[in-house]
């Protein structure tokens, strides 16, 4: 799912049109993903290693077979040192194989819990908001609309003055329009429709005053 130049133009035009009726400033950002989730791959790799350890404990004969391949074939006795060494090698191999498997990003993302994705997307949106939107306007009337494509999640974060006067329920139409279009594979249309809905809310609570200037860029930022 990629954004075309036409999508960029459509979203930019929607921002310009929405801001024509309000003192609010709308910033739009689309990211391919919000996190690499390497820690999730590490957790799954450790789990795989522990599973192998549990299997060795449940089926100790496996150690005997492995010892027969590498140890003295004339002895039936397996020392504690040999047992622990075999277990260590098997666990290390299981961990390394799992790490290679989970290097595949699609699998890593699929195995990431939904709550983790939501937290990471929210954290990334907040970081971007604080860096490029928060308190960057004279009246603190900035709004960030953030879409993270691979996680299929979006966030809307508003500056203090907007947050104090507009409850989160008012953004429902904007987020619904975005989610619906993204599910249909039309992220550009979704961002544009959401911006239009945000503009309606902002125009109601923060109508454009005389002398208002454009304080934040209208263009869509793609990360």
């Amino acid at each position: 799912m990629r954004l075309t130049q036409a999508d960029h133009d459509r979203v930019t035009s929607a921002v310009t049109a929405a801001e024509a009726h309000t003192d609010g400033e709308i910033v739009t950002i689309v990211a391919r993903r919000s996190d690499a989730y390497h820690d999730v791959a590490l957790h799954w790799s450790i789990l795989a290693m522990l599973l192998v350890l549990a299997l060795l404990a449940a089926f100790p004969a496996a150690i005997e077979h492995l010892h027969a391949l590498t140890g003295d074939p004339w002895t039936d006795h397996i020392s504690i040192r040999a047992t622990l060494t075999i277990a260590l090698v098997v666990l290390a191999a299981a961990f390394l194989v799992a790490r290679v498997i989970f290097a595949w990003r699609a699998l890593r993302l699929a195995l990431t819990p939904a709550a983790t994705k939501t937290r990471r997307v929210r954290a990334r949106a907040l970081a971007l908001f604080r860096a490029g939107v928060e308190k960057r306007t004279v009246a603190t009337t900035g709004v960030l609309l953030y879409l993270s494509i691979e996680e299929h999640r979006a966030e809307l974060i508003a500056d203090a003055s907007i947050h104090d006067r507009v409850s989160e329920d008012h953004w429902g139409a904007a987020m619904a329009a975005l989610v619906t279009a993204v599910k249909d594979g039309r992220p550009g249309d979704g961002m544009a429709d959401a911006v239009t809905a945000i503009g309606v809310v902002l125009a109601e609570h923060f109508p454009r005053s005389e002398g208002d200037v454009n304080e934040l860029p209208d263009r869509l930022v793609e990360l």
Side-chain angles (χ1 to χ4, degrees):
M1 191 186 304
R2 294 188 175 277
L3 293 169
T4 64
Q5 185 57 49
D7 290 326
H8 279 258
D9 295 340
R10 190 178 303 115
V11 175
T12 299
S13 298
V15 172
T16 302
E19 291 180 355
H21 305 286
T22 175
D23 285 346
E25 295 286 331
I26 304 171
V27 174
T28 54
I29 299 179
V30 173
R32 179 59 47 189
R33 73 192 68 87
S34 295
D35 193 89
Y37 302 100
H38 288 303
D39 58 325
V40 174
L42 179 61
H43 295 159
W44 279 103
S45 298
I46 292 174
L47 182 61
M49 185 177 65
L50 293 176
L51 177 60
V52 169
L53 180 60
L55 290 173
L56 289 177
F59 304 99
I63 295 180
E64 297 178 5
H65 292 304
L66 292 172
H67 181 266
L69 296 175
T70 59
D72 183 357
W74 296 102
T75 179
D76 293 331
H77 174 69
I78 305 176
S79 67
I80 295 178
R81 175 180 293 181
T83 299
L84 293 178
T85 300
I86 291 172
L88 178 61
V89 171
V90 172
L91 293 181
F95 179 81
L96 292 175
V97 169
R99 285 294 286 156
V100 171
I101 293 173
F102 292 122
W104 182 25
R105 190 178 69 247
L107 177 61
R108 197 164 64 238
L109 192 64
L111 293 176
T112 299
T116 299
K117 293 178 185 176
T118 299
R119 287 195 301 270
R120 300 288 169 86
V121 171
R122 178 68 176 177
R124 182 77 186 283
L126 280 171
L128 292 171
F129 174 76
R130 288 165 179 162
V133 181
E134 187 176 28
K135 299 180 181 178
R136 294 301 178 101
T137 60
V138 173
T140 60
T141 54
V143 176
L144 170 66
L145 178 63
Y146 175 74
L147 171 63
S148 193
I149 293 178
E150 289 192 1
E151 289 92 344
H152 305 290
R153 281 163 174 76
E155 291 285 343
L156 193 156
I157 306 175
D159 246 328
S161 61
I162 296 177
H163 183 72
D164 291 342
R165 294 174 59 179
V166 182
S167 68
E168 294 185 0
D169 295 340
H170 285 76
W171 306 119
M175 299 308 288
L178 176 56
V179 170
T180 299
V182 169
K183 286 183 178 179
D184 292 339
R186 300 179 292 105
D189 291 339
M191 291 292 287
D193 293 343
V195 165
T196 300
I198 292 170
V200 172
V201 175
L202 291 177
E204 177 184 352
H205 293 87
F206 300 90
R208 184 165 189 171
S209 58
E210 185 176 352
D212 177 66
V213 296
N214 191 17
E215 299 174 274
L216 295 175
D218 294 350
R219 68 181 180 87
L220 171 65
V221 177
E222 189 171 4
L223 302 179

